[in-house]
Amino acid sequence: MSRLESVIRRLSAQRDILDRVCADMADIPGPVIELGLGNGRTFDHLRERLPGRRIIAFDRVLGAHKSSIPPEGDLVLGEISETAARFAGINAALVHADIGTGYDDRDAVTLTWLPQLVESLLGPGGIAVSGLPLVHPRLEPLPLPDGVPDGRYFLLRHTE
Amino acid sequence: MSRLESVIRRLSAQRDILDRVCADMADIPGPVIELGLGNGRTFDHLRERLPGRRIIAFDRVLGAHKSSIPPEGDLVLGEISETAARFAGINAALVHADIGTGYDDRDAVTLTWLPQLVESLLGPGGIAVSGLPLVHPRLEPLPLPDGVPDGRYFLLRHTE
């Protein structure tokens, strides 16, 4: 499979998972955390699906399209492992992390801190959606929506 | 429609159009020109669909994933409007241009030189596939493959 086909499947899985999560999220209080704003496409999708919900976005540097830049106070720039750690305990309803690089060695370094960070940001019952697999004792994998193949995008729930 | 949904549709249209073109290209001699290597995903798709065909890729700077970098001699870096112009008359079978920025004002500047450049690179009967609309008297719009919506990606043929 070409990398073009692969990214189409990955983005489609991302959309399908986020749509399911957003539809079920009315009863979970708390903000949404976007780790890796990037171009801002997912941020744009989340604010469309979750009107009125605060979304705080993090990135190393600002690379978003001007139409998809969060309002002042909801954008935090700098090393995500450091900046987002300051928000531990915020009791987020949803943490979405799309910070894979496509390089296994770099992603392995990210995975030394990302699961713990995501866990620390989520409130009880909060949902994690991630492009990298998160393994943590308090993050329970959930079944994916119908039609989403395993292994492209990951869905978990904070268990306490 | 969110920008996430929009990019999924745009990449799907790109894939569907390129797949149709590649399937029909056996009788058109000449190299493939990729204007805007970017991450290299489309380059990866084209080399998978067109084994043995020379693909020359252009970009301002190298931003591709290491798995999708063309071999030496087939990657030309620098301002595309200048570097690719030196290849005018190469009689390409296919020119694929994915250099839209998402900013109308910047894309309008690109469109002051892109149609003429694409026309100069193509051989007779050669195919242009573009993310920006190309208007040129010797580039004839072709019908899109079934299922591809109008206006997301463009398909044309050199008429002489």
Side-chain angles (χ1 to χ4, degrees), chain A residues 15-95:
Chain A
R15 174 199 58 197
D16 294 345
I17 291 173
L18 289 174
D19 283 354
R20 219 275 293 279
V21 166
C22 289
D24 293 343
M25 227 175 70
D27 297 335
I28 310 179
V32 169
I33 302 289
E34 170 81 332
L35 300 180
L37 177 62
N39 184 289
R41 292 188 181 106
T42 312
F43 169 75
D44 186 57
H45 195 73
L46 287 170
R47 69 179 169 183
E48 188 178 294
R49 291 292 187 279
L50 298 169
R53 181 86 62 155
R54 185 180 181 198
I55 304 173
I56 312 171
F58 296 77
D59 214 336
R60 183 180 291 185
V61 295
L62 181 59
H65 189 276
K66 67 180 177 187
S67 68
S68 305
I69 297 176
E72 197 171 330
D74 291 347
L75 173 63
V76 184
L77 299 178
E79 289 297 328
I80 293 172
S81 59
E82 298 166 14
T83 56
R86 292 180 212 132
F87 289 74
I90 196 173
N91 284 326
L94 168 65
V95 174

Side-chain angles (χ1 to χ4, degrees), chain B residues 30-105:
Chain B
V32 169
I33 303 287
E34 170 81 332
L35 300 179
L37 177 63
N39 184 288
R41 292 187 182 106
T42 312
F43 169 76
D44 186 57
H45 195 73
L46 287 169
R47 71 179 169 181
E48 187 178 296
R49 291 291 187 278
L50 297 169
R53 182 86 63 154
R54 185 181 180 197
I55 305 173
I56 312 171
F58 297 77
D59 215 336
R60 184 181 291 184
V61 294
L62 181 58
H65 189 275
K66 68 179 178 187
S67 67
S68 304
I69 297 175
E72 197 171 329
D74 291 347
L75 173 63
V76 184
L77 299 178
E79 288 298 329
I80 293 172
S81 59
E82 298 165 14
T83 56
R86 293 181 211 130
F87 289 72
I90 195 173
N91 284 325
L94 168 65
V95 174
H96 172 237
D98 187 10
I99 54 177
T101 63
Y103 294 100
D104 288 345
D105 53 345

Side-chain angles (χ1 to χ4, degrees), chain A residues 14 17-18 21 94-98 118 127-132 134 153-156:
Chain A
Q14 182 190 68
I17 291 173
L18 289 174
V21 166
L94 168 65
V95 174
H96 173 238
D98 187 10
V118 170
I127 301 294
V129 177
S130 172
L132 294 175
L134 303 178
Y153 231 75
F154 302 91
L155 173 61
L156 310 96

Side-chain angles (χ1 to χ4, degrees), chain B residues 107-131:
Chain B
D107 292 347
V109 173
T110 300
L111 285 172
T112 62
W113 53 262
L114 184 61
Q116 162 113 4
L117 173 66
V118 170
E119 191 276 335
S120 74
L121 294 168
L122 283 171
I127 300 294
V129 177
S130 172

